Amino acid sequence: MPPPATAPIGVVLARTAKTAARAFDHALATAGSSQPIWQILISLKTRTVANQRELADAVGIQGATLTHHLNGMETTGLVTRRRDPDNRRVHLVELTDQGEQLFHRLATAAIAHDKRLRTGFTDDEITLLASLLHRLAANVTDEPAP
Amino acid sequence: MPPPATAPIGVVLARTAKTAARAFDHALATAGSSQPIWQILISLKTRTVANQRELADAVGIQGATLTHHLNGMETTGLVTRRRDPDNRRVHLVELTDQGEQLFHRLATAAIAHDKRLRTGFTDDEITLLASLLHRLAANVTDEPAP
DNA sequence: TATTGTTATACTCTATAACTATA
DNA sequence: TATAGTTATAGAGTATAACAATA
């Protein structure tokens, strides 16, 4: 029996996201990784980040928190950090081969997870759901003008 | 510019939930509380939980984690715990007046948050969204039969 | 023995403040 | 002075394992 339609949408959203996140977190843990590391890997692969501050913003964490994760990732050989010759204040973060490999393994897990999530949905339904979620997020995003 | 529709639905879901959760967490913090405490209060008010194990399940945490939170809530005067005379292994958790008051304050904040989330949505759209989210959650819930 | 809950301990993620290095 | 990043420290939330109390 599903919960009544009168349940606050915020509760439904949080509950769904928690359920989905737990399933994916488990997949990440099985692959020997975690959410923040996965987020950092994605950002490094799919965005052009000029510096660590932008990377932290992309991941949605503070700079010091990012440093914490990068320290661990450097220790385990996933990334390297070196000074930018053009501006030695900037530390260039780069994936190692090992980091690349982990990224691909996690990407495979992510694709499998998403396929599982989409079970029983049509493409149109997914598009509709994504659209509704975007509108929802916009309602609690208080950035007036970028 | 919204992210492309090709973004994995899991990513869209996680991002939306994180945005919404941050906004609500901020409201909870302003009211001097937090998510786990709010979840515990909701469960105590709206469900009939026979014991702490059921309460932990309702909140989605382990028993020891619940004990941790209940210790804090007892210290700050939100709940009381006493032995069930019928089964002295069971600890009955009850809200104090102060706990009731906090519940009502947080409920007010939750209602305001949900109203904010619903901005620009019709009731039908919210019902549709909830329905889609329920189906999504069902895809990653691996309980065969209760 | 099984059930209920607590204690002890530790780990992850996160943040703020103070600091270093560079410009 | 301003910017980029690190270090130091702390706190919240969570979990597992070992334990105590009760049945």
Side-chain angles (χ1 to χ4, degrees), chain A residues 51-53 64 67 81 89 91:
Chain A
N51 53 43
Q52 286 189 200
R53 177 161 228 164
T67 295
R81 276 181 288 191
R89 287 178 300 192
H91 289 206

Side-chain angles (χ1 to χ4, degrees), chain A residues 38 77 116 122:
Chain A
W38 169 231
R116 185 180 176 200
T122 65

Side-chain angles (χ1 to χ4, degrees), chain A residues 97-115:
Chain A
D97 283 355
Q98 205 180 331
E100 295 274 355
Q101 286 171 27
L102 179 59
F103 172 77
H104 288 299
R105 266 191 290 133
L106 298 185
T108 301
I111 289 168
H113 177 252
D114 230 66
K115 187 178 174 188

